[in-house]
Amino acid sequence: MTRLMVLGILRMKPMSGYEIQQVLQISQTDAWAGVLPGSIYHALKKMEKEELVEIASLEQTGNRTKAIYKITDKGHNEFQSLLIESFATSSVILPTTLYTGLIFAESSASKQVIRAIDEQKELLTKQLSALREGEEHKEKAMGELSPITKATFESIYSQYELQLAFLDKIQNILQHDVEK
C-alpha cells in the first residue's frame, strides 16, 4: 500500500518524504490507508535502490538537507502494476477479531464487554469525523474533488456507518442478555 501511495503521489510532482507525509495527513489518507510516516522514508530508500524513484534535487533548509524525489520510468511501470493489483485484490476486509469475540459473546455477556463496544464506537465515531475533516481539507487544497474521490469518501463513510449500526445492534442484544 505504501509503495502504491508514494509512487502515485510522486506522479503529481517531485516531493520530499515530508511533503508526501503532509499530503497524506492533510487529506486523512494516512488514517484509512495505514501508511505510517516512517514507512514513507523506508519505502523511498528502498524504491531508490530499486530505481523506481531517484533524487531530483537536494534542498538546503538551515542545517538540514532535504532530498526531493521523482518517479522514474521504471517507477511508472511499477505504479501501473501495483494499481492493477489493487483493483484485483478483494476489497472486503472482515473485522475478524470482533467476529471471533462474538462467537463467545452471548455466553459471556458482561458490562465490561458492553463498555468495550462503547469504546470501539467512540473510536470509530472519532475516526469518521477525522475522515470527514480530511475530505474538507482535501477539497480546500485541491478544489473540486473528482467523482471517483467523492465516491471513495462515500464508500468509506458508509462502511463506518454500517459498522457503527452493527455494533449498536450487538450491544443492544448483549445489554438484554446482561439484564436477564
Side-chain angles (χ1 to χ4, degrees):
M1 178 68 69
T2 302
R3 289 169 70 93
L4 176 60
M5 193 66 74
V6 169
L7 290 171
I9 291 171
L10 287 176
R11 289 179 71 228
M12 294 187 287
K13 69 175 191 169
M15 292 185 204
S16 68
Y18 179 76
E19 290 169 314
I20 294 169
Q21 180 183 341
Q22 292 302 299
V23 168
L24 292 173
Q25 286 177 340
I26 287 170
S27 64
Q28 293 290 314
T29 304
D30 60 331
W32 58 261
V35 178
L36 301 172
S39 67
I40 295 167
Y41 298 102
H42 177 74
L44 284 168
K45 292 294 181 194
K46 187 172 181 185
M47 289 189 295
E48 184 181 12
K49 287 178 185 170
E50 296 171 13
E51 299 178 344
L52 302 176
V53 300
E54 63 187 15
I55 296 176
S57 64
L58 294 172
E59 293 180 3
Q60 194 70 30
T61 309
N63 294 333
R64 298 188 62 176
T65 302
K66 176 171 63 169
I68 307 298
Y69 292 90
K70 70 177 185 177
I71 189 169
T72 63
D73 288 340
K74 188 174 176 183
H76 282 285
N77 292 337
E78 176 71 2
F79 170 79
Q80 288 300 319
S81 295
L82 292 170
L83 183 64
I84 298 303
E85 182 183 324
S86 76
F87 284 103
T89 303
S90 174
S91 59
V92 176
I93 300 171
L94 301 175
T96 55
T97 303
L98 175 65
Y99 289 175
T100 302
L102 289 174
I103 293 170
F104 307 104
E106 290 182 281
S107 64
S108 304
S110 68
K111 290 181 180 182
Q112 291 89 352
V113 169
I114 293 168
R115 272 196 297 275
I117 292 172
D118 271 333
E119 289 173 14
Q120 184 180 164
K121 287 172 28 182
E122 287 176 26
L123 175 64
L124 292 176
T125 301
K126 286 179 184 174
Q127 290 172 341
L128 179 56
S129 177
L131 287 165
R132 289 184 195 275
E133 287 178 24
E135 180 183 17
E136 290 173 18
H137 289 299
K138 188 169 192 160
E139 196 161 30
K140 285 179 186 173
M142 300 180 74
E144 175 97 20
L145 299 178
S146 74
I148 288 178
T149 301
K150 287 180 182 180
T152 301
F153 276 111
E154 289 170 12
S155 176
I156 292 170
Y157 301 155
S158 294
Q159 290 184 41
Y160 270 86
E161 291 161 357
L162 181 65
Q163 191 65 9
L164 285 164
F166 175 67
L167 289 170
D168 280 338
K169 187 174 188 174
I170 295 301
Q171 193 173 39
N172 288 336
I173 293 167
L174 293 175
Q175 185 70 41
H176 177 69
D177 289 350
V178 167
E179 291 172 358
K180 282 184 183 180

